[in-house]
Amino acid sequence: MRGRAKAAGDYLSNGISTIAVRLVLIAVMLVLPAASLGFVQGIDNNLFAKRFEWAPRTATGNIVFVAIDKHSLDAVGTWPWPRSIYATLLDKLIASGVKDIFLDVDFSTISSTEEDELLTAALARSGGGVLLPVFRQQETASSSETAVTRPIPQFLENAWPAFANVALDADGIVRRFDLGSQLDGNPTQSAAAALGRVDGSSGSLAVDYSIRPDTIPTFSLSDVLNGTVPAEAIKNRSVVVGASAAELKDIFAVPVYGAIAGPLIHVLAAETLLQKRFLRLFDQAPLELLFAALLIVGVIRSRSTGIVKMMAIGLTIVVIGEIGAFLLQWRYGMLVGTAVPWLMLLLAWMLALNERVDLGRMLVAIANTEARNARRLMRRIIADSSDGVVAFDSDLRIVEASASAKAVLRAEIGASLLASTDAAIVDVVRRLVAEHDGEPGNVHTALVDFSDKGSQGTHYEASVTISPIEQPHAHPASARSRFAGCLIIRDITARYDYEERLKALSELDDLTGLLNRREFASRLATLEGGTLVSVLDIERFSSLCATLGRDVGDELLKAVAVRLGNAFVGNLLARLDRDHFGIATPAVDAQAVEDFAEGLLDLFEEPLQLRGSAVPISVHVGIASSEDAAAGALLNAAESALDAAKTLAGRQWSSFDPSTAVRQARSRRLERDMRDALRDRQFFLLFQPQIEFASGRLLGAEALIRWNHPEFGLISPAEFIPIAESSGLICEIGRWTLFEACTEAATWPGELGVAVNVSALQFEQSDIEADVREALSNSGLPSSRLCLELTESAFLGQGGAVIAKMRALRETGIVIALDDFGTGYSSMSYLADLPLDKLKIDQSFVRRMRGNPTMLEIVRAIISLAHGLKLQVVAEGVETETEAEALQRLGCETGQGYLFGRPDEARRMLSKWNVRKRLSA
């Protein structure tokens, strides 16, 4: 009787268990469509990737990738690159006729002024066809506030901002891209949206990874700079410039292709838009619920159907479903997730199996077997792992350890973790235990680096994890203290050495091993106490390189670095650029600065030994102390002092002078403003009359340029012309002056002529003949009424080429005058060969004629010489009637000076001489 009751109880229990499993399976099938499970999304993502892989597409070729690869890094030799390299690249790309250019490079920090201005000028020349990246990122890891990192303002004046964020999914893989975001309240597109030629700037789209990256035209940046990439290969295409070298770590995980460079992701996103592959998902939940209901009904109604037949039906549904999903994704861009339906099929099969077998008992048996196998497998994994693996308990005793962990920690199973490991690991373990006591339900983990004291140069990374142990029946206080710990140790010596090499590459000058400019300035800003900064340069370094060769020049720089290193052990030393070196030492008193400077100069009294030869050198030194400028401005102050030392004759060193720095800053400011001044017509012309002595009539006028600066007011040509010549802008300014003068003179009546000064640099470097022809043609001024005035410096050292230009100009009918005669070399040997029409006597001679018989005779000789060469003579600086009468007696034909009129607007100048302008046609 008791046996039958037990059997009945077992039967009832088994029946209840079978029903419970059945209800659980049905409930799970119905809940699955509404549940958001990470592993389900992972299956769908893998299936999407496989469908991309099965139907590859070719890129359009409309976007070219110019890669900063290892070849390019080796060619330049430093990183970050000087911005002049990007300026050169932009000029070459624009010259090749490309469309848009996206520079995927961070320009958010200021480099040297010279390098930034070179890139700014290149962006201006590109005509606004360059995109620069902006990034939106969290201000801190725990903050929801975001900040935008953008290029420095002067770059954005001639470029477009484009968002360049790469969005990672929760599993660290890039699958989508943004079309844009808000920047300062304005909608701003992403780089992909701009290159993909779409209008939207909000929302996101999936990247079509069926487009193969190896079909995107890709060129090494160094090949583009070297000109080995034909222009036809990139003409009329958009260009993305960015890093592909593994050293730069701009690599992201993506479906299908594993890991690719960040810029290539932007290209693939843009290609997705260009090929109109707008991939889209839709809400499958209603269809999945319907499918679940059909499966449940089907299983319940087909209890007599065999398991094998049901499996065959299920496989058929899977095959047909996957083919349909593949076709929808390939042809129409619809991403159909099939993980949930196939999981439902699996659950339906288990439901059918439960109808025939006691699935509950079978699952328990399987679970017990798997638990035993898992424990065996875990021990084997720990024992065989190449990484060191240690398992420890809540008493911090080692319970399992791999052989490699035992070797590193020099500990055995059963030993205390605190007594066997590095102090850094002990500190982390104690901290995690304290965190576990505060939050016992959470997993706590941390990373720590440490070095093996027993081996030279071996570095490890340890990952420590403490996980709570579930104890449903334990006392709360006891349960709180129980946990399982795991320590994984990895040898990171190779990575550590690589990071140290990268750090050295970014901080040190590759040639000399000294600090580079950026690192020197950075460390200088952190120094405490008084500091003396010296900047040294090698005199005539360019000439030495031209004479001895570039290789010897490099050895010379190394030898200078060695000599400085021996003299200033323990101080900051840097090669700032080319032949400039920086030294930072503790400050000395004002009296000792001179001794310090003399001592620094004395270092180079002895010649340097290069390839068995003694090479003597001399240096200039600029010095600034922390009393003169703030830490961040000390280097600039020392360089300002160096510039002053190089301009002082007979002086090899100079200390910082604020007044000199102000003048230099003003000069730099004027140089920066000069191009805007030319564009905004801040320059204007005044005209000084030239009068015939014999008749007293107006012959013409000399055009004199002036600058009305919006902040500084009128600026003398004596100040801004040398700046224009040193910066190379004199050619553009001179061309503007020529065109303006010709246009104005064309409105004057009769045969009134206009004289225009031409700089020696302008005459040498520009196509002056073409400029003159264009100015005359545009204005309608007859060539005989234009006079070009040149100084002797225009043809000294290269007379043949200049004389040929002068003769070609005279053949067009214009007049050539030699200006400021007598103030230069005034060599008779070249004067006879010059194709001249006029000779202008400098005003310094004219003003000293009165009461100075010697000077009067010199002027007489100049006039006689000019007449002997059949040249007309113009005297400058005539201020009194006495001077005018004397010059007329000596035979001078023309006068110019305050006696006849100060430089003035053309209208007032002509009105004074009773001359009216012709009406312009």
Side-chain angles (χ1 to χ4, degrees), residues 252-464:
F252 296 91
V254 298
V256 183
Y257 309 110
I260 63 175
L264 269 180
I265 295 176
H266 295 304
V267 177
L268 287 175
E271 283 283 350
T272 300
L273 297 174
L274 289 176
Q275 298 190 29
K276 301 188 183 305
R277 293 283 295 167
F278 302 111
L279 305 178
R280 55 196 182 277
L281 294 162
F282 63 95
D283 185 8
Q284 298 179 202
L287 293 176
E288 290 168 349
L289 279 173
L290 177 61
F291 184 61
L294 292 175
L295 287 176
I296 293 169
V297 171
V299 168
I300 294 174
R301 292 175 62 87
S302 59
R303 292 177 179 175
S304 60
T305 306
I307 292 295
V308 175
K309 184 176 180 180
M310 293 189 70
M311 289 180 63
I313 294 172
L315 288 175
T316 303
I317 294 173
V318 169
V319 171
I320 294 173
E322 279 300 321
I323 291 174
F326 168 75
L327 293 175
L328 288 172
Q329 183 170 322
W330 173 45
R331 297 292 299 274
Y332 304 107
M334 293 180 64
L335 300 178
V336 178
T338 54
V340 169
W342 305 158
L343 284 174
M344 289 179 179
L345 273 175
L346 178 61
L347 293 172
W349 182 82
M350 294 174 65
L351 182 61
L353 190 63
N354 189 59
E355 294 289 329
R356 295 156 178 80
V357 226
D358 188 350
L359 191 57
R361 288 186 176 181
M362 185 177 71
L363 292 176
V364 170
I366 291 173
N368 291 333
T369 303
E370 287 183 348
R372 289 192 296 272
N373 291 338
R375 286 194 292 271
R376 294 192 190 99
L377 180 61
M378 185 59 66
R379 291 193 184 97
R380 177 56 61 88
I381 289 174
I382 291 176
D384 296 343
S385 174
S386 59
D387 290 337
V389 181
V390 175
F392 58 92
D393 59 19
S394 53
D395 295 326
L396 302 183
R397 293 283 174 182
I398 299 174
V399 296
E400 290 288 346
S402 66
S404 56
K406 293 176 184 177
V408 173
L409 301 180
R410 298 176 180 84
E412 295 296 332
I413 295 174
S416 171
L417 186 68
L418 300 182
S420 309
T421 57
D422 188 271
I425 298 178
V426 171
D427 292 341
V428 168
V429 169
R430 283 175 172 163
R431 176 167 62 83
L432 293 181
V433 169
E435 291 179 2
H436 170 77
D437 290 341
E439 296 179 283
N442 296 337
V443 175
H444 302 275
T445 185
L447 286 174
V448 62
D449 293 348
F450 68 98
S451 300
D452 189 347
K453 298 181 178 63
S455 60
Q456 191 69 21
T458 305
H459 302 274
Y460 296 98
E461 177 186 76
S463 173
V464 185

Side-chain angles (χ1 to χ4, degrees), residues 27-37 39-40 288 340 343-344 347:
V28 172
M29 290 176 67
L30 294 174
V31 169
L32 263 181
S36 179
L37 302 176
F39 81 94
V40 173
E288 290 168 349
V340 169
L343 284 174
M344 289 179 179
L347 293 172

Side-chain angles (χ1 to χ4, degrees), residues 566-787:
N566 292 335
F568 296 97
V569 177
N571 297 122
L572 293 183
L573 295 174
R575 180 187 174 208
L576 302 175
D577 53 41
R578 206 161 181 267
D579 63 329
H580 284 57
F581 293 84
I583 308 159
T585 58
V588 296
D589 56 45
Q591 182 65 30
V593 169
E594 183 171 355
D595 295 337
F596 176 83
E598 294 297 337
L600 187 52
L601 294 172
D602 289 344
L603 276 180
F604 299 96
E605 288 293 324
E606 291 293 327
L608 299 172
Q609 298 297 322
L610 301 177
R611 298 188 178 182
S613 300
V615 179
I617 65 168
S618 60
V619 299
H620 287 102
V621 176
I623 300 176
S625 74
S626 51
E627 296 179 356
D628 299 325
L634 260 181
L635 181 56
N636 289 335
E639 290 177 323
S640 173
L642 176 64
D643 292 339
K646 292 164 71 173
T647 58
L648 295 173
R651 188 74 183 269
Q652 284 189 282
W653 74 275
S654 176
S655 58
F656 175 70
D657 179 5
S659 61
T660 301
V662 169
R663 289 194 299 273
Q664 292 171 341
R666 176 180 168 95
S667 295
R668 288 192 293 270
R669 169 70 184 279
L670 292 180
E671 181 177 339
R672 290 197 304 270
D673 293 350
M674 203 168 287
R675 192 176 297 277
D676 291 339
L678 195 60
R679 182 193 63 205
D680 299 338
R681 298 190 67 83
Q682 295 172 16
F683 292 110
F684 62 96
L685 296 183
L686 298 179
F687 297 87
Q688 187 170 33
Q690 295 178 337
I691 306 303
E692 186 178 54
F693 282 126
S695 63
R697 67 186 179 89
L698 180 67
L699 297 179
E702 180 180 359
L704 301 171
I705 189 171
R706 298 290 186 268
W707 182 3
N708 186 15
H709 192 281
E711 181 177 340
F712 302 139
L714 287 175
I715 300 175
S716 168
E719 182 180 5
F720 72 77
I721 290 297
I723 297 174
E725 289 181 332
S726 65
S727 66
L729 279 173
I730 190 63
C731 295
E732 295 181 46
I733 293 174
R735 188 173 188 271
W736 178 88
T737 303
L738 175 65
F739 276 66
E740 286 290 307
C742 289
T743 301
E744 174 59 38
T747 67
W748 298 350
E751 295 300 318
L752 294 182
V754 65
V756 180
N757 289 286
V758 179
S759 162
L761 285 174
Q762 179 188 359
F763 203 86
E764 172 191 345
Q765 297 177 3
S766 68
D767 190 350
I768 188 67
E769 300 166 59
D771 289 344
V772 168
R773 285 194 300 269
E774 187 177 352
L776 294 174
S777 173
N778 291 351
S779 65
L781 182 72
S783 59
S784 60
R785 293 171 59 189
L786 174 62
C787 174

